[in-house]
Amino acid sequence: MESSTRKAVTPKEALNDLENKILVITGAGISAESGVPTFRGTGETWQGRHFTELANPVTFAAEPRLIWDWYLYRRNVVAVRGPNPAHVAIAERARRVPGSITLVTMNVDDLHEQAGYTDHVTHYHGSLWHNRCTACGLEREERSLAYADLPLSPCCGALERPAIVWFDESVSTEAFCRTQIGLMSADVVLIVGTSGAVWTAVQYAGLAMSRGILTIMVNLEQTRVPSHYFLQGKAGEVLPELLGGA
Ligand SMILES: [Zn+2]
């Protein structure tokens, strides 16, 4: 019954109401529009190995060179890609009211940062551009595109690994908490470019809807992510219109 008293607003009105706090969650689809291969597309295998085998701590323990070579290959791919109008639209909306957006991305690239998003970006599944010490867990930014020798941590002199959440690993407490806080304070949740193959987006969309938060989904294809509004299309075309001011 609560919803009957709420003023009906369109997605565009809700997203351009400068009083509103917005939780934005982005997935592989937004990066795909910049030419970053997705695991469900051309990036599913590399050198004959499936991504579920590569993004895996067991494989890293046995074949660290192989796994590092895969991540270096992916760094090289991402290094020549740039943000698209969807990334730019989010960055510009954030600039209009600093602190009004919590941005959580499932993507390991830095296209949001490249687009000029200057607040904190929560990389839910880690970042291609960070290494983690296997001894103490300390992470550092590292942008090398090739390693003659596998990287050792400056803290412990131990082997470093990609700072990525692999299969059977947990999301960092910080990423989880930042997302929860974003959800608790959100008036609107905007989910962009995820098929729902990754459970996270489905879960947060469901939580948002159960709390009565206006939930908007933008994706190229129909998805199983629940929402109040589903806007079908390219993020690079839909978001500039949606976030571009009333
Ligand atoms: Zn260390």
Side-chain angles (χ1 to χ4, degrees):
M1 291 307 286
E2 282 172 29
S3 61
S4 62
T5 57
R6 191 198 297 149
K7 191 171 159 244
V9 290
T10 65
K12 184 167 178 167
E13 283 167 347
L15 291 165
N16 287 287
D17 182 336
L18 301 183
E19 307 255 299
N20 277 347
K21 297 272 188 211
I22 306 169
L23 170 63
V24 180
I25 300 176
T26 64
I30 193 170
S31 294
E33 289 181 29
S34 285
V36 177
T38 70
F39 287 155
R40 269 78 198 175
T42 50
E44 192 168 345
T45 58
W46 181 74
Q47 296 196 349
R49 313 282 285 262
H50 195 261
F51 75 89
T52 51
E53 191 189 351
L54 295 166
N56 197 303
V58 176
T59 315
F60 181 76
E63 301 172 81
R65 180 84 242 182
L66 170 82
I67 303 309
W68 264 120
D69 282 347
W70 183 50
Y71 280 98
L72 291 167
Y73 157 76
R74 292 177 59 198
R75 280 185 184 178
N76 279 277
V77 168
V78 165
V80 295
R81 310 293 182 208
N84 65 60
H87 296 102
V88 173
I90 294 168
E92 286 181 352
R93 172 62 184 81
R95 263 199 294 275
R96 271 189 264 147
V97 186
S100 63
I101 290 184
T102 298
L103 177 55
V104 178
T105 184
M106 303 296 138
N107 302 328
V108 296
D109 59 61
D110 61 348
L111 297 178
H112 286 295
E113 290 90 337
Q114 280 192 48
Y117 189 92
T118 51
D119 289 343
H120 183 84
V121 181
T122 296
H123 284 272
Y124 206 81
H125 293 146
S127 166
L128 267 185
W129 304 109
H130 283 83
N131 290 3
R132 185 190 305 152
C133 173
T134 55
C136 75
L138 189 74
E139 293 187 7
R140 68 186 178 111
E141 185 173 350
E142 224 297 296
R143 304 188 76 89
S144 299
L145 295 175
Y147 288 128
D149 299 307
L150 292 180
L152 300 178
S153 65
C155 42
C156 305
L159 178 65
E160 285 184 310
R161 55 165 277 179
I164 304 277
V165 181
W166 285 334
F167 287 93
D168 295 329
E169 294 185 329
S170 302
V171 167
S172 79
T173 307
E174 184 193 329
F176 179 77
C177 288
R178 282 183 182 274
T179 309
Q180 289 294 324
I181 290 167
L183 183 67
M184 282 191 287
S185 61
D187 301 296
V188 190
V189 172
L190 173 64
I191 302 173
V192 183
T194 174
S195 62
V198 177
W199 181 243
T200 315
V202 180
Q203 206 171 20
Y204 282 114
L207 275 172
M209 292 190 57
S210 71
R211 293 179 190 183
I213 303 168
L214 185 71
T215 304
I216 302 160
M217 173 78 206
V218 176
N219 200 49
L220 210 47
E221 302 122 22
Q222 282 284 352
T223 117
R224 64 181 179 137
V225 180
S227 62
H228 294 109
Y229 289 98
F230 171 61
L231 306 174
Q232 190 163 13
K234 285 179 71 174
E237 290 169 4
V238 176
L239 288 200
E241 158 63 21
L242 199 58
L243 298 171

